[in-house]
Amino acid sequence: MIQEIDACCPSPLVRPMSGEDAAQVAGWLGVLADPARLRLVSLIAAMPEREACGCDLTSPLGLSQPTVSHHLKVLQDAGIVAREQRGRWAFYQLRTEPLAALGRALMPAEVPA
C-alpha cells in the first residue's frame, strides 16, 4: 500500500530532511515564531543592504530599547542576524543563509506555474 501511495503521490521535497536539518530548521522557526522578532527581520530586510542600526528599530516596533535588544540578541544567537559594533552603535545585518535554508526546507521541489 505504501508503494502505491508513493507512486501516485511523490514527496514534494527534493529529499526528506535529516534529523539534524530538522532540528536546525525547527530552531529557526521557533525563533521567528515571535511577532516582534519576525517584525525585526522584516524591518532589517526592508533596509538598504539589509542592515539597520539597533537605535532605529525601537520606534517602529513600539517596544523599549532593552526589549528590542533582547530580541536582537535571540536573532543573533540563532544566526539569523549578524551584529557589528561601530563606535557606540550596534548595526544588525540580516544573514540570508538561514532564511534561504528555511525556504529550501519548506519549498516543494517543483512549484506549479
Side-chain angles (χ1 to χ4, degrees):
M1 182 63 98
I2 293 175
Q3 289 176 340
E4 292 175 18
I5 292 172
D6 285 344
C8 74
C9 304
S11 171
L13 301 175
V14 174
R15 65 176 174 79
M17 280 190 261
S18 68
E20 185 177 309
D21 290 345
Q24 181 68 62
V25 170
W28 288 329
L29 289 172
V31 167
L32 293 172
D34 183 278
R37 291 192 284 268
L38 195 54
R39 288 194 63 211
L40 280 168
V41 168
S42 174
L43 287 166
I44 296 169
M47 299 287 189
E49 298 182 32
R50 293 187 176 106
E51 177 182 79
C53 178
C55 63
D56 294 328
L57 297 171
T58 55
S59 181
L61 286 179
L63 298 173
S64 69
Q65 184 275 325
T67 301
V68 171
S69 290
H70 164 74
H71 287 301
L72 287 166
K73 177 73 169 134
V74 172
L75 289 167
Q76 179 186 351
D77 290 347
I80 295 171
V81 298
R83 181 183 187 272
E84 181 182 340
Q85 192 71 34
R86 297 182 196 159
R88 295 183 57 202
W89 308 110
F91 285 79
Y92 294 87
Q93 188 171 40
L94 192 61
R95 295 188 64 242
T96 55
E97 298 87 8
L99 300 176
L102 278 170
R104 285 191 304 272
L106 302 173
M107 183 63 65
E110 294 182 26
V111 178

